[in-house]
Structures are given as structure tokens and as C-alpha cells.
Amino acid sequence: MMMRYGRLSRHPTVFRAMTGLDVAGFDALYADVVPRFFEAERQRLSRPDRRRAIGAGRRFELGPRDQVLLTVVWLRRYPINAVLGYLFGAEETTALRTVRRVLPVLEAAGLDTMRLPDPGKGRRPDLEALLRETPALAVIVDTFEQRVQRPRDRAEADTYYSGKKKQHTLKSQVAVREDGRVADVAESARGPTADITLLKDSGVLERLPPEVGALGDLAYVGIADLHPAGLGATPRRKPRGTPRPDADIASNTAFARRRIVVEHTIGRLRAYQALSQTDRHHRQGHTTRVRAVAGLVNRRLAG
């Protein structure tokens, strides 16, 4: 029994389990991406070295809606191509080509959902008040790691080995708004890259509106120095050789309650198996997958 939109959409619980979206959410996604899908196909078929006229050649086994569905299912469940093709009644190579074509379209759609916080006219807090404590309006920054296949070259493999995870990994940085939606996804970096280094290289702090700060855990000590207006904060560190003051405990508890949103969002991202199972693509196209999944998560939260 083939998995196609017409059949799967009649089973809402299964549809959500396979895609992470309800049927209405997927329909809205498809309506948004279909113009990009056809534009990408037009560019592909209009390449200068094409020998046949547009419209000639073998018909594709899946329609546009099922191609988008196949790719979302692949992100959510991450089956191998042979299994994916079997589920959709298509050849293994068809499944592979479909994912390669549709992923950039979903990445672009994901980027469209990412919006940095805007304080809004007439609601901008006083800058000096912001500098006294943690920023009143901020994104929360954090990273997660995904295991990758070990490079064959030992010297190259060492550059991916994460001492924290005891594995070869790629690291992804996300900046999350306080409503849980992803505002920015940085280019994936090698696992040993320090979080503060990745934050600096990503340039996300320079892209924030002037009144919007950034919060991070203790891996981001020094974040205020990187922010153009100094609007950065981390938990208070324990004084060396003395008990932690009660005021610090209360402050860190409040800080953790504010920062927990990024942990929940990363959990939603990693519910998509393409970001939690071992990467099977030799570290290629990782950022595209993270941004595509971030768009799907944003749509679910916005719904």
C-alpha cells in the first residue's frame, strides 16, 4: 500500500506522526512552497546543456505535492532511500532525486519563517535600563550536535571529534525567540568548535535590532562583549572558594526559566530524525536540513 497524500491525509494521527505537521499545516506549507518548486523546476529544465525541449522525456513518478510530502517524511523519519522509495511506490533513485530537489525549496521556505524580534515603535525600552540587568527583549542562543560518519583521514577525523560527545559531530547553532520560534540558524560547524566562537563567526548578534539582546548558558561567557550594544547575559558563575550567594541562586533560577525555551525548541528540531540519527551524507548539506526543519517547527508553533 503506497504512501501518497490522498491516502495519508485521511489518517490525521498517522499523518502527523510521519510529518510532524497536521494536514492543514502541510497544506499551508505546500501552498507556500509550490511557486518556488515550479520556479526551481523551470530553472533546472532550462539549463543551457539540456538537449530535449521542456516537457519531453520520462514523466516523474510523483506529483509536486507528493514530492514535498516525501521530503518532509524523510526529514521526520530519516529512512534510507530504498525504504523511502518503497513507501511511496517509487524507485530508490527517484526518492534520492526528489529529496535533493525539494530540500533547497524547504530551506528557503524555512528562512522565510525566521524573524528576529522587533521591539516595535513606541515600545522600545530605555537602553540604560536594559544594560543594568538581562535584556528585556532577547533571543536565546544555544547549540546541538549530531553524530556524523567518521572521516577516513585520521587528521581530518580529529577535527570533527567532540570531546563533549565522545563522537565525531557537526554542531548547529540556533537563535530562538522567546515564543519558541527559530529566528536564525548558523552554518553548521565542526563538533569541537567552541559555542562562543561559533556565535562570533555566525554574525547573528550584528543582525539583531539594536535593542534586542542575547542570552546564553555558561558556554557563552563574554557574549555581552560581542553584542554591539553590550546586551548579552549568561548565568552568574559561582565564586571560587566560597558558597554561591542566595541572590545568585535566585537570579540563575529566573534566568533558567527564561532560557528553557531554547531547550524545548531544540527538542522539537531533534524530533526530526534527520537531525538526531547519525548523518549519512558525509557532512554535506547539513545546514540546509537544519533550516528546512526549523521552518517546519516554526510553522507548527505559529499554527
Side-chain angles (χ1 to χ4, degrees), residues 42-294:
R42 187 192 66 77
Q43 293 181 9
R44 182 178 69 86
L45 297 175
S46 300
R47 63 186 186 274
D49 61 341
R50 181 178 172 86
R51 297 184 178 181
R52 294 180 176 179
I54 294 179
R58 183 181 176 183
R59 296 292 179 183
F60 206 73
E61 297 178 54
L62 301 171
R65 190 184 298 269
D66 283 320
Q67 291 183 51
V68 175
L69 177 61
L70 178 149
T71 307
V72 174
V73 168
W74 179 82
L75 287 168
R76 183 71 173 184
R77 293 299 174 187
Y78 205 43
I80 62 174
N81 293 322
V83 172
L84 188 64
Y86 175 80
L87 290 174
F88 280 83
E91 297 291 335
E92 177 180 348
T93 53
T94 297
L96 174 62
R97 289 197 301 269
T98 298
V99 170
R100 286 179 175 174
R101 279 202 292 261
V102 178
L103 261 183
V105 176
L106 292 180
E107 178 190 18
L111 289 170
D112 285 347
T113 69
M114 297 181 196
R115 298 286 186 275
L116 293 169
D118 182 7
K121 294 182 179 179
R123 297 190 296 112
R124 300 181 185 275
D126 177 70
L127 188 60
E128 291 185 2
L130 286 177
L131 290 171
R132 283 197 293 269
E133 295 292 341
T134 60
L137 186 63
V139 295
I140 303 95
V141 184
D142 206 351
T143 63
F144 65 91
E145 296 182 53
Q146 181 177 1
R147 187 174 185 174
V148 299
Q149 295 167 324
R150 180 186 182 279
R152 292 185 178 183
D153 180 74
R154 177 60 184 270
E156 183 184 9
D158 288 346
T159 66
Y160 284 93
Y161 187 78
S162 168
K164 177 181 179 181
K165 299 295 183 180
K166 309 302 182 188
Q167 298 170 348
H168 299 85
T169 65
L170 280 172
K171 179 175 286 188
S172 299
Q173 173 190 283
V174 293
V176 175
R177 298 176 1 169
E178 296 195 63
D179 62 3
R181 282 185 274 185
V182 180
D184 186 85
V185 174
E187 289 287 335
S188 301
R190 301 181 187 216
T193 307
D195 288 1
I196 192 71
T197 300
L198 181 52
L199 177 65
K200 181 178 179 180
D201 293 344
S202 72
V204 64
L205 298 183
E206 287 75 20
R207 295 193 296 274
L208 291 173
E211 298 86 353
V212 175
L215 308 179
D217 58 21
L218 287 175
Y220 293 96
V221 170
I223 191 173
D225 297 331
L226 298 178
H227 193 286
L231 301 181
T234 59
R236 297 181 183 180
R237 304 176 76 173
K238 180 182 178 298
R240 183 175 297 178
T242 61
R244 190 185 298 272
D246 291 343
D248 283 10
I249 294 175
S251 173
N252 286 353
T253 299
F255 189 93
R257 288 174 179 168
R258 190 174 179 190
R259 206 192 70 84
I260 193 63
V261 64
V262 72
E263 303 291 351
H264 293 323
T265 296
I266 288 175
R268 295 185 183 101
L269 292 171
R270 303 206 72 192
Y272 284 81
Q273 296 299 299
L275 301 186
S276 57
Q277 292 187 31
T278 301
D279 174 75
R280 299 194 299 264
H281 305 281
H282 305 286
R283 306 168 300 284
Q284 301 300 312
H286 191 261
T287 306
T288 295
R289 294 193 291 279
V290 178
R291 288 172 175 166
V293 170

